[in-house]
Structures are given as structure tokens and as C-alpha cells.
Amino acid sequence: HLRLGEAESALEDAKAAQRCLPEQPKPRYRQAQALQALGRNGEARDALAGVIQRSRGGKNADAERLLSELEG
């Protein structure tokens, strides 16, 4: 959905995936991407913190890169 410019739909899909897979980092990462696209950067940072927390070894290069972008 994000590639189609449908950030709201992408956010809803990410939330649904998160409900199904609460311990997986990927749905939270997708949620953060959608939130960033919607300009909701604070919420995106919170979602990325959840990604990093759930990632192996507490590291996730994609999440850390996006978090760096958000912190500008």
C-alpha cells in the first residue's frame, strides 16, 4: 500500500499483522513506515523501539536506519 501512496491502508494492514504476530518485528517496522508516511514521526519512533526490542540481539539495521532518518 505504501508504494501506492495508501499510507492509511498500509497502517491498518500493519496493525492487523501485529495482532496476529505480536512478537515479530516486521509488522511493527511496516507500521513505522506507514506512520512516517503519515507524518506521525513520534509514533513511528515508538514503533521502531518495539522493532529493535523484538529483534535478535536487540539490533535491526533497517529499523535503526529509519530511526536515524526520523531523528534527522
Side-chain angles (χ1 to χ4, degrees), residues 6-63:
E6 299 173 356
E8 283 289 345
S9 293
L11 179 59
E12 292 307 314
D13 286 351
K15 286 180 178 180
Q18 186 177 332
R19 284 190 296 275
C20 294
L21 304 165
E23 293 305 314
Q24 294 297 315
K26 187 88 169 197
R28 290 176 194 276
Y29 181 74
R30 297 291 186 221
Q31 181 180 4
Q33 288 178 306
L35 288 164
Q36 179 191 31
L38 292 167
R40 295 164 57 181
N41 293 342
E43 293 172 80
R45 282 191 291 273
D46 291 343
L48 290 169
V51 171
I52 293 167
Q53 178 184 5
R54 287 165 178 78
S55 296
R56 286 190 179 150
K59 294 190 181 263
N60 184 299
D62 291 332

